[in-house]
Amino acid sequence: MNDFYPEISPFNDFLLAVDGQHQLYVEQCGNPKGQPVLFIHGGPGGGCSTNDRRFFDPKQYHIILFDQRGCGRSLPHGCLDHNETHFLVDDIEKIRQQLNIKQWHVFGGSWGSTLSLVYAQTHPLSVRSLVLRGIFLGRDVDTHWTFSGGGATRIFPDYWQEYVDALPEGSAQATTTAAYAMLVGEDKALAQKVATAWSIWEIRCCTLIPDQAFVDAATGDEHAWTLARHEAHYMVNDCFLTDNQILANCDTIKNIPTVIVHGRYDIVCPADNAWLLHKHLPNSTLVISEASGHASVEPNTKHHLIAATQAMLSL
């Protein structure tokens, strides 16, 4: 079974000013003369980790990672101003142009799959191939499923109750709109409490087998602050997408080689997201990762993702 490539360090990193306010952290790893591949992280608000570099053969790939606006090592930290999907798409193009890359592979999971798809549909000539994991289509039904008492809460009712118990008014505030109001409100202690509870709820749902170390690594105060606030910000604004935008625009990327990897038991982003995307991209390859949930680090999913990046090298 495929496993991560060895740990590597960037050969270059920098802050890229994309407007008068935001600076993006960008790093380059692997072989500067290799095939360029862009890793797009999830969330929104998740930021990149050191393991995200390890899906790609460092001898064959020029690996580019960046933290999206307001999260990770990008500045200003936690900023939601001018933080919308179309700005993020523009940011990706600015990174490509800054690095003088004509065309690159794009790899994204969860929200990263959403942003990868919107980017590819906006700039199809810039994308050589797509590897997508844990598909999130950004529709109302998708956000309701996880954060407004939808289906996920019926599968993990005990986890959901712990989230609800962290809200001052309990179930009356168990909606994205109510949570967002608290997350961006003046009471910073309450905002942090809600952000932490939000993040723990989501991350606990990510793996098929409970993994406390995985939860702990992703729910510290600073990480939870950007993850919850960014996610709620995007969700209450319909992810800054038009209704069913991604599926409606699949024709623009029908000729881009695409591999879709999705966990059979993904509770954060149910597998019908991947199935629908595959149906709209009939030339894509859909790989259902058995015995897997949502997380990219689960063994079967990791195996399939690395197999996909190995296959990309022949394109």
Side-chain angles (χ1 to χ4, degrees):
M1 183 172 285
N2 292 318
D3 204 349
F4 278 138
Y5 289 97
E7 291 188 10
I8 54 174
S9 297
F11 64 78
N12 174 253
D13 62 75
F14 58 93
L15 288 172
L16 176 65
V18 290
D19 62 15
Q21 184 176 27
H22 288 277
Q23 298 180 73
L24 304 184
Y25 172 83
V26 182
E27 67 177 38
Q28 301 179 78
C29 308
N31 180 358
K33 295 184 179 180
Q35 292 191 32
V37 59
L38 178 71
F39 180 95
I40 302 182
H41 68 70
C48 290
S49 73
T50 55
N51 278 339
D52 296 335
R53 309 163 181 161
R54 302 176 64 194
F55 289 100
F56 315 97
D57 183 345
K59 296 180 180 178
Q60 301 292 323
Y61 277 111
H62 174 192
I63 308 159
I64 300 109
L65 301 91
F66 76 106
D67 292 333
Q68 295 161 32
R69 294 188 177 208
C71 66
R73 292 147 291 186
S74 292
L75 300 173
H77 185 75
C79 181
L80 298 176
D81 296 338
H82 300 102
N83 204 322
E84 302 177 15
T85 304
H86 69 96
F87 288 124
L88 304 187
V89 167
D90 290 346
D91 291 347
I92 293 170
E93 264 300 272
K94 288 175 182 176
I95 294 170
R96 185 185 66 82
Q97 293 165 1
Q98 176 70 23
L99 298 178
N100 197 29
I101 292 170
K102 182 178 180 180
Q103 193 178 52
W104 51 10
H105 304 284
V106 176
F107 179 114
S110 194
W111 164 253
S113 74
T114 319
L115 189 52
S116 297
L117 286 160
V118 178
Y119 171 72
Q121 290 173 347
T122 308
H123 300 283
L125 297 180
S126 297
V127 180
R128 186 169 178 177
S129 74
L130 289 164
V131 173
L132 308 171
R133 186 268 313 165
I135 305 303
F136 176 67
L137 296 175
R139 304 165 299 167
D140 284 345
V141 66
D142 304 317
T143 58
H144 177 75
W145 170 265
T146 309
F147 283 104
S148 293
T153 69
R154 299 180 64 186
I155 296 167
F156 291 119
D158 49 342
Y159 295 169
W160 179 248
Q161 187 63 55
E162 290 185 34
Y163 169 68
V164 170
D165 288 345
L167 307 175
E169 298 177 20
S171 59
Q173 292 177 309
T175 66
T176 53
T177 302
Y180 185 56
M182 290 181 282
L183 288 165
V184 299
E186 294 298 321
D187 188 337
K188 300 304 181 187
L190 175 61
Q192 184 65 68
K193 181 182 179 182
V194 174
T196 299
W198 172 296
S199 300
I200 290 173
W201 152 247
E202 178 182 358
I203 302 302
R204 290 175 87 182
C205 296
C206 279
T207 57
L208 180 62
I209 305 300
D211 186 340
Q212 190 59 44
F214 177 79
V215 174
D216 292 344
T219 55
D221 283 355
E222 187 172 283
H223 188 93
W225 181 253
T226 56
L227 183 68
R229 293 174 78 251
H230 279 63
E231 287 186 341
H233 171 69
Y234 274 78
M235 288 179 184
V236 300
N237 287 290
D238 300 318
C239 295
F240 302 97
L241 301 173
T242 57
D243 186 43
N244 213 34
Q245 177 176 325
I246 290 173
L247 295 180
N249 287 285
C250 277
D251 190 62
T252 61
I253 58 171
K254 64 183 180 181
N255 294 322
I256 297 176
T258 301
V259 176
I260 303 165
V261 177
H262 204 104
R264 171 73 71 186
Y265 303 104
D266 188 336
I267 304 305
V268 177
C269 298
D272 65 338
N273 286 266
W275 183 255
L276 284 169
L277 180 63
H278 176 55
K279 288 295 186 182
H280 282 75
L281 293 174
N283 294 323
S284 65
T285 299
L286 173 61
V287 179
I288 297 295
S289 181
E290 304 292 350
S292 296
H294 183 66
S296 62
V297 296
E298 291 176 284
N300 282 24
T301 297
K302 186 194 308 181
H303 166 78
H304 292 305
L305 289 172
I306 293 171
T309 66
Q310 291 169 343
M312 282 197 305
L313 290 167
S314 63
L315 297 176

